[in-house]
Amino acid sequence: MLADDVGDRLFIADTNHNRIVVTSLNGTVLTVIGSGEEGLADGDFVSCSFNHPQGMSLDSGILYVADTENHAIRKIDLTAGFVKTIAGTGEQGHTREGRHTALKIELCSPYDVVNHEGVLYIAMAGIHQLWSMNLKDGLIGPFAGTGGEAIDDGPLSSAMLAQPCGITTDGQKLYFADSETSSVRSADIDLSGRVRTIVGLDLFVFGDVDGSDHIVRLQHPFGITHYEGVLYITDTYNHKIKRVLPTTRSAFTVLGSGLAGHVDGPSDQTQFSEPSGIGIAHGKIYIADTNNHAVRVADVESGVVSTLEVAGLR
């Protein structure tokens, strides 16, 4: 789920339909990108194909997509109406070091992407790393993480991650949902920087506890977005949306009762079912409520949740 406040659009990874659905913020379908068939075909919006796409990043008229089960990164020119593969071969790889020509190296389950100043940062969930791709020279490789699966902080090259699935930035740091450790962590964009854990403790340490520091428990957070100095995450297996404050290393429930279901209304009474993607535009939170096959909308101030009616979609 990507909310575009400048263009008043939603970009929805309709994952099991192998397509990207573009709507207005009120749910009117603007276009559909992808034939719906599983495949790795470039071309116009009707003939191109994806294989279970996930996270996206928008840069003016270009949409970048983590095409997860194709182990590829796709570039969508929204003006020209054309999809092009820019990284990956379509095969799964396990390379964990070095810089490579993007179209000649196998990737491993990229789940999300974020663009910053001509560099695409990739949550490479399958090998427990963050990667970076220089969009000018087309070189790609690990940015943070050794490839070992753990929650070890430290310099970018020696830290360890565990299935990062969501990634966002405030322009100084990358923030990512490190799903298997049920944590939210940061990585400095500066190459001399470090990986730090904001909340979360270890593999197999999970729960549903709000608070600060070591008290906090999440359960497999997946989506993450930055909004006015605060992180909003989908605490997926707790069926909640939470606000994470990096400066105080704290996390608090903002939406969801914790019960799996599909109930709109006041924030503490609402129910979601394994929400995954999240985006914010014009003071509203847009949520990919995955197991409900729905898009939910919440007002940031009031917390009242509704279900978006998507009109014009076959």
Side-chain angles (χ1 to χ4, degrees):
M1 174 69 68
L2 176 63
D4 171 24
D5 55 358
V6 175
D8 293 327
R9 295 172 294 182
L10 289 179
F11 296 89
I12 305 163
D14 191 9
T15 303
N16 283 354
H17 282 145
N18 304 299
R19 63 186 182 179
I20 308 299
V21 176
V22 187
T23 75
S24 65
L25 293 178
N26 66 11
T28 301
V29 172
L30 303 176
T31 191
V32 174
I33 307 171
S35 66
E37 300 295 325
E38 284 186 11
L40 181 57
D42 292 344
D44 62 35
F45 288 179
V46 175
S47 62
C48 69
S49 59
F50 301 87
N51 192 348
H52 293 78
Q54 295 277 354
M56 297 162 286
S57 181
L58 183 65
D59 181 21
S60 298
I62 302 297
L63 184 71
Y64 297 98
V65 180
D67 195 7
T68 302
E69 293 192 19
N70 273 326
H71 310 288
I73 305 298
R74 315 293 293 280
K75 174 183 175 181
I76 301 175
D77 189 321
L78 297 168
T79 302
F82 196 84
V83 177
K84 180 181 179 181
T85 303
I86 60 170
T89 65
E91 299 296 326
Q92 184 175 16
H94 299 282
T95 299
R96 289 177 167 85
E97 57 187 24
R99 302 293 291 178
H100 311 271
T101 302
L103 287 171
K104 295 183 179 180
I105 184 70
E106 295 84 6
L107 309 184
C108 190
S109 300
Y111 259 79
D112 199 7
V113 292
V114 66
N115 179 60
H116 177 66
E117 295 184 347
V119 177
L120 200 63
Y121 296 94
I122 305 160
M124 201 73 75
I127 47 175
H128 315 299
Q129 291 180 317
L130 303 183
W131 279 38
S132 65
M133 177 180 174
N134 186 310
L135 293 170
K136 186 175 181 180
D137 64 19
L139 294 179
I140 194 171
F143 176 80
T146 64
E149 185 179 13
I151 190 171
D152 289 348
D153 292 346
L156 297 175
S157 61
S158 59
M160 286 197 282
L161 322 180
Q163 202 181 95
C165 286
I167 188 169
T168 190
T169 185
D170 63 358
Q172 301 296 319
K173 294 178 182 289
L174 302 171
Y175 297 98
F176 59 99
D178 207 29
S179 298
E180 285 297 293
T181 54
S182 295
S183 67
V184 176
R185 307 174 73 186
S186 69
D188 295 314
I189 289 177
D190 189 312
L191 291 175
S192 63
R194 302 172 63 86
V195 171
R196 298 175 177 85
T197 299
I198 299 170
V199 292
L201 291 177
D202 207 343
L203 289 162
F204 314 117
V205 178
F206 54 86
D208 185 7
V209 182
D210 292 349
S212 300
D213 297 320
H214 297 300
I215 294 173
V216 175
R217 297 290 187 276
L218 309 173
Q219 190 171 5
H220 205 84
F222 195 98
I224 185 169
T225 192
H226 180 268
Y227 180 74
E228 295 186 348
V230 175
L231 301 172
Y232 287 82
I233 66 166
T234 54
D235 193 8
T236 302
Y237 289 177
N238 283 325
H239 315 294
K240 288 183 174 182
I241 308 302
K242 294 187 178 182
R243 180 186 292 122
V244 176
L245 287 69
T247 54
T248 58
R249 299 182 62 218
S250 56
F252 302 96
T253 300
V254 292
L255 301 170
S257 66
L259 297 175
H262 188 166
V263 177
D264 290 338
S267 60
D268 59 344
Q269 298 175 25
T270 55
Q271 294 178 9
F272 303 90
S273 186
E274 296 192 9
S276 55
I278 187 168
I280 300 180
H282 301 311
K284 294 188 181 296
I285 306 171
Y286 294 86
I287 302 149
D289 195 11
T290 297
N291 282 1
N292 281 323
H293 310 286
V295 175
R296 314 289 292 282
V297 186
D299 187 90
V300 172
E301 295 298 325
S302 71
V304 174
V305 176
S306 62
T307 299
L308 186 70
E309 290 188 22
V310 180
L313 184 65
R314 292 189 301 168

